[in-house]
Amino acid sequence: NAGVTQTPKFRVLKTGQSMTLLCAQDMNHEYMYWYRQDPGMGLRLIHYSVGEGTTAKGEVPDGYNVSRLKKQNFLLGLESAAPSQTSVYFCASSYSGHKAYTGELFFGEGSRLTVL
Amino acid sequence: GENVEQHPSTLSVQEGDSAVIKCTYSDSASNYFPWYKQELGKGPQLIIDIRSNVGEKKDQRIAVTLNKTAKHFSLHITETQPEDSAVYFCAATKAAGNKLTFGGGTRVLVKP
């Protein structure tokens, strides 16, 4: 059982380049999230999805786009990368069932992105 | 929206001593407060959580307390061990499953 898998784990981009981070989960979770982690600022929510085909903005959505075409996958795109987007990105998922629901987020191991 | 402040940002303790991390939140409607532990090179993992109808919860060497009136909650780790060295995050939300707002994190170093 792989849990939440992120690819790639490391990437270096030049300013203006585009890229996509892929998140895949095998736990049949409804909810998926993209966070960025910066020193001293904790984890800030970029975008999230409450189900296949749905997306919503989080706390810091500017400069990012997302898509949830399949329940198990959540893609984060940077159309024109900027140095301010240098960060560690974490994908997470959670179950939204009824009685079994605990609210726990399951995180991937992170993707370190550097924009030069 | 919700704002969560976490202190201290770094904490160094001697093995066997206790560690305490404190968080305050701004939204009085928040009622679910989880704590996550992040080991080096890994994603955060839930270690304990508390809901607003409970004042304290304990799980072996870790405990969490909640003061709704003062809008603050704390993580207590007793008899610290080297494997407790990690970054700890508190978080708050109005309902489990909604968007979590995280604190800035506390880097804990347990010295042998």
Side-chain angles (χ1 to χ4, degrees):
Chain A
N1 191 340
V4 179
T5 304
Q6 295 181 226
T7 52
K9 289 187 167 37
F10 302 93
R11 184 74 188 268
V12 178
L13 288 177
K14 293 181 180 179
T15 297
Q17 287 185 318
S18 62
M19 74 157 297
T20 300
L21 295 175
L22 170 64
C23 176
Q25 54 94 3
D26 61 3
M27 296 174 282
N28 201 34
H29 285 171
E30 288 291 337
Y31 293 180
M32 296 187 75
Y33 313 80
W34 275 107
Y35 287 89
R36 60 177 288 173
Q37 182 178 19
D38 302 292
M41 302 186 75
L43 294 151
R44 292 182 294 167
L45 183 64
I46 305 171
H47 287 280
Y48 64 103
S49 168
V50 299
E52 181 179 319
T54 74
T55 63
K57 293 180 180 180
E59 187 184 349
V60 287
D62 294 343
Y64 305 94
N65 56 76
V66 288
S67 63
R68 184 98 180 269
L69 299 179
K70 293 183 179 181
K71 185 177 183 179
Q72 64 268 35
N73 295 338
F74 195 29
L75 279 65
L76 178 71
L78 285 73
E79 290 186 347
S80 180
S84 59
Q85 294 178 304
T86 293
S87 187
V88 181
Y89 293 85
F90 286 96
C91 176
S93 69
S94 66
Y95 178 58
S96 65
H98 299 289
K99 293 181 180 178
Y101 189 57
T102 64
E104 179 176 2
L105 294 185
F106 293 84
F107 284 86
E109 295 199 331
S111 298
R112 182 174 295 276
L113 174 65
T114 301
V115 183
L116 302 175
Chain B
E2 175 67 277
N3 182 49
V4 178
E5 301 277 345
Q6 182 172 347
H7 300 280
S9 57
T10 59
L11 180 59
S12 182
V13 297
Q14 209 65 39
E15 183 177 354
D17 288 350
S18 296
V20 181
I21 303 170
K22 299 181 179 181
C23 290
T24 60
Y25 61 99
S26 61
D27 190 345
S28 57
S30 288
N31 59 11
Y32 175 66
F33 308 92
W35 287 87
Y36 284 79
K37 176 184 180 182
Q38 184 181 25
E39 297 178 347
L40 195 61
K42 302 288 186 182
Q45 272 193 303
L46 179 71
I47 54 171
I48 195 168
D49 58 13
I50 192 167
R51 298 173 194 269
S52 59
N53 58 347
V54 176
E56 184 173 359
K57 185 176 178 180
K58 190 173 181 180
D59 183 3
Q60 298 182 0
R61 293 186 299 106
I62 60 172
V64 58
T65 59
L66 171 65
N67 183 326
K68 286 175 58 181
T69 303
K71 289 191 283 187
H72 67 71
F73 55 114
S74 301
L75 178 72
H76 304 253
I77 308 173
T78 58
E79 300 172 20
T80 53
Q81 300 170 4
E83 54 263 37
D84 295 328
S85 294
V87 178
Y88 292 80
F89 292 99
C90 62
T93 185
K94 291 179 185 179
N98 278 7
K99 298 171 291 179
L100 280 174
T101 299
F102 285 88
T106 298
R107 184 174 298 277
V108 174
L109 176 63
V110 180
K111 296 179 290 185

